[in-house]
Amino acid sequence: MDENKALGELPIPKLLFKFSIPCVTGLLIGALYNIVDQIFIGNSSLGYLGNAATGISFPIICIANAFAWCVGDGAASYLSICSGRQDSESAHKCVGTGLAATMIISIALCAICLAFCKPLMVLFGASDATLALSCDYFRIIALFFPAYLMFNVMNSMIRADGSPTYAMIAMLSGAVLNIILDPICIFVLNWGIQGAAIATVVGQVVSFLICLIYFFKPKSFRLTKSSFRINPSMLRNLVVLGGSTFIIQISLVAMTLLSNIMLFKYGSLSVYGSDIPISVFSIQTKVYTIVSNIAVGIALGGQPILGYNYGAQKMDRVRQAYRLILLYSLSVGLIATLAFVFCPQIIIGIFGKQNAIYMDFAVKSFRISLGFSFVTCFIKISSIFFQSIGKAGHAMIASVIRDMLCFIGFTVILSNVMETRQSGTGIYGILWASPLSDLVAGTVITIITIRFFKKLDTLSDLKDAPISISATRPGIVVTIARQHGTCGKQIGELVAKKLGVPFYYKELTALVAKESGLAEEFLLNDYDDPSEALNQLYLSTQVAQQGIIAQEKVLRKIADAGACVIVGRAANHVLRDYPNVVRVFLYAPDKFRIHNIQKMYGDSHAEARQHMLRSDESRANYYRNTSGNEWQSMENYDLCLNADIGKEAAAGIIEAYIRRCDLTADAT
């Protein structure tokens, strides 16, 4: 059965199991890298000081990951698009550009981190007791950033190339080797914290080498020397598609950095000192990562199911998939919450036996900070859910409200207020910031989710579009891009009538809906919001990519059918390699356009102006994010025309230009 058809017809539980298991497994393997070192270090003579030292470097590693995953996830998304449209030429450029850019970024990060190691460790919370340990650990980790970042990027590309099992083996091999080498390097060879770092980087290098072997014989592309010339336009596409991943990682960095700074400040004023709180939070963060990764893995597995069925307006299946994802994720979160609240000593004990004052703070921290872990799971899956169905604004809110807004605000306010009221208690404000953030963010997202599902009932079922592609004579294909209010649709219709060729405008959306199985309402989302960040987030979803692939296929089919006129949908970029395409751009003074918008929509002057600006910005963002080029740049077009001369006159000039192009083509 066709994969898209399967997403819309097979039982939801079966599909969710099929897609979620690999996601959960991969994320759990990744979490091992973050937690294994801390277990062995905590049980060594280094104790909690060693754990604090590794925790201090964690935000910087997250920053490096943000760059790698941004490029890697973007390349994986773009590679999927290339595979869908069988574009092997763009595929190898995508991979080569991604790998070359990652190598440059990783070398730069390596150099910066090695040169400024001590200042960075101090900035991220190192004390006199942990500074030397932090530097010993981080210098080794930073030295191997090129292998680590390249491994992450290559792993994403391998999954996108249709080899998820190979990608998982590469990850698992490094993680298992890390687990084996940690006790050998730390206890047997007595290398201490440097041994933990060496075990980690050896695992990363092995994973990198396994991934590297794959690229000698991939499935959908072939690399040459020219592949590794960085293409600025291609790199921009990768960054756009991986932008949401970057935002999520940077929000984690901001939260961790703030936590370390506040823990250092208020911990030093308490009976615990600064090192114990930082050590505990480092362990706590990585323990919760395991829980979070399971919930996120379940939601990520549901992405293609949710995206396809929402696009196809099969809302009953959307509801069913969401309920199952919510049930499974909340179950994991609730079990973890009970463990954190009722038996934190057992979890803490895994990381070594510590003194009484350490255990006192650790138990309080686990019980308070992780007391609403199941709500945090709900918040994370909500962001993925809304991103899956192309609701970029909802997804952005769910992504940042808890960590970037609530947690940072509550941490600063509560710790300051509590310390002011009673000396030495400011550290508890940091602990209470987490559950309060969960409650506030969880409430907001619950309201948004309930309202969203109520609106589902108003959406109609997809109707089969009676539109088809018309066969026509060989000749020029005219693409028309236009500023809002230039009467581009009417001018395009006049040109098509004068030339006696088919005209495509709204018909394009219907044709793409038929090609992709997605609903027309969903396919029009790309122009809904002028915000570039939201437009990027929308375009990073799998279902949006599915629509883009279908749109490009339809545009090529139309162009292959013969002479015609096409308005909008970045057709000039999609058909850029066709020799018989004339690319037209229509512009006009604001006064002329505002007047036309007022006539078309009955807007006031102010409303028409706002309408014009929003529409132009949306079109510019969509064009930039799908092509990597600027929408209004003259070099993207063959003919730029001021529509202020009138519809008939503009159509006449375009007709004359096209007929001249036809004659020139015949003469050659």
Side-chain angles (χ1 to χ4, degrees), residues 367-439:
R367 285 177 173 165
I368 297 173
S369 296
L370 301 180
F372 285 90
S373 294
F374 65 96
V375 180
T376 316
C377 290
F378 165 67
I379 293 168
K380 289 185 179 295
I381 69 162
S382 295
S383 175
I384 295 169
F385 166 69
F386 286 119
Q387 187 181 354
S388 301
I389 59 174
K391 293 297 179 183
H394 294 45
M396 186 72 79
I397 292 171
S399 293
V400 304
I401 187 171
R402 196 267 181 195
D403 294 342
M404 292 295 286
L405 299 180
C406 294
F407 181 81
I408 290 176
F410 282 133
T411 296
V412 173
I413 294 170
L414 290 176
S415 55
N416 183 60
V417 170
M418 295 181 77
E419 185 66 30
T420 301
R421 289 187 174 182
Q422 184 178 347
S423 178
T425 62
I427 193 72
Y428 297 118
I430 304 171
L431 304 188
W432 282 107
S434 288
L436 285 175
S437 299
D438 288 330
L439 288 175

Side-chain angles (χ1 to χ4, degrees), residues 11 65 124 130 166 244 331 351 376 434 447 552:
N65 276 335
F124 282 82
T130 59
Y166 191 99
S244 59
S331 297
F351 296 87
T376 316
S434 288
I447 293 170
E552 293 192 356

Side-chain angles (χ1 to χ4, degrees), residues 418-465:
M418 295 181 77
E419 185 66 30
T420 301
R421 289 187 174 182
Q422 184 178 347
S423 178
T425 62
I427 193 72
Y428 297 118
I430 304 171
L431 304 188
W432 282 107
S434 288
L436 285 175
S437 299
D438 288 330
L439 288 175
V440 173
T443 301
V444 171
I445 294 170
T446 298
I447 293 170
I448 291 173
T449 304
I450 291 172
R451 287 181 176 176
F452 167 76
F453 276 106
K454 283 183 178 179
K455 288 182 179 179
L456 283 188
D457 297 330
T458 65
L459 296 177
S460 59
D461 292 331
L462 176 68
K463 301 292 189 298
D464 288 333

Side-chain angles (χ1 to χ4, degrees), residues 279-337:
S279 175
V280 169
F281 257 65
S282 175
I283 291 170
Q284 181 178 291
T285 299
K286 293 175 182 178
V287 168
Y288 179 71
T289 298
I290 294 176
V291 180
S292 172
N293 281 3
I294 295 174
V296 167
I298 293 169
L300 287 174
Q303 266 193 331
I305 306 167
L306 290 164
Y308 180 85
N309 285 286
Y310 181 78
Q313 292 196 349
K314 297 184 177 182
M315 300 309 171
D316 288 341
R317 290 177 64 81
V318 172
R319 291 179 186 277
Q320 185 185 0
Y322 176 77
R323 288 194 200 104
L324 284 176
I325 292 168
L326 185 64
L327 173 63
Y328 297 154
S329 299
L330 286 186
S331 297
V332 170
L334 189 57
I335 292 169
T337 301

Side-chain angles (χ1 to χ4, degrees), residues 187-393:
F187 300 111
V188 178
L189 299 175
N190 199 29
W191 289 347
I193 199 164
Q194 290 178 319
I198 290 170
T200 298
V201 298
V202 169
Q204 292 168 356
V205 169
V206 168
S207 293
F208 163 71
L209 292 174
I210 293 173
C211 288
L212 183 63
I213 291 170
Y214 179 88
F215 282 80
F216 286 98
K217 200 173 181 180
K219 291 182 178 179
S220 63
F221 57 88
R222 290 292 178 270
L223 295 175
T224 63
K225 287 183 180 179
S226 64
S227 303
F228 297 98
R229 294 173 188 159
I230 294 180
N231 183 313
S233 175
M234 181 68 70
L235 182 59
R236 179 182 177 82
N237 284 332
L238 304 191
V239 172
V240 163
L241 291 171
S244 59
T245 304
F246 185 83
I247 292 169
I248 292 169
Q249 279 296 111
I250 292 301
S251 69
L252 175 62
V253 171
M255 188 175 68
T256 307
L257 175 59
L258 175 70
S259 296
N260 282 357
I261 292 172
M262 301 297 278
L263 289 167
F264 183 89
K265 176 182 177 180
Y266 291 101
S268 62
L269 301 175
S270 72
V271 296
Y272 304 111
S274 59
D275 295 322
I276 286 176
I278 289 176
S279 175
V280 169
F281 257 65
S282 175
I283 291 170
Q284 181 178 291
T285 299
K286 293 175 182 178
V287 168
Y288 179 71
T289 298
I290 294 176
V291 180
S292 172
N293 281 3
I294 295 174
V296 167
I298 293 169
L300 287 174
Q303 266 193 331
I305 306 167
L306 290 164
Y308 180 85
N309 285 286
Y310 181 78
Q313 292 196 349
K314 297 184 177 182
M315 300 309 171
D316 288 341
R317 290 177 64 81
V318 172
R319 291 179 186 277
Q320 185 185 0
Y322 176 77
R323 288 194 200 104
L324 284 176
I325 292 168
L326 185 64
L327 173 63
Y328 297 154
S329 299
L330 286 186
S331 297
V332 170
L334 189 57
I335 292 169
T337 301
L338 294 174
F340 296 148
V341 171
F342 293 106
C343 49
Q345 300 92 334
I346 297 174
I347 301 170
I348 298 163
I350 297 172
F351 296 87
K353 294 182 179 180
Q354 309 296 345
N355 58 41
I357 193 169
Y358 178 97
M359 290 301 295
D360 176 64
F361 181 80
V363 169
K364 288 178 180 176
S365 182
F366 268 72
R367 285 177 173 165
I368 297 173
S369 296
L370 301 180
F372 285 90
S373 294
F374 65 96
V375 180
T376 316
C377 290
F378 165 67
I379 293 168
K380 289 185 179 295
I381 69 162
S382 295
S383 175
I384 295 169
F385 166 69
F386 286 119
Q387 187 181 354
S388 301
I389 59 174
K391 293 297 179 183

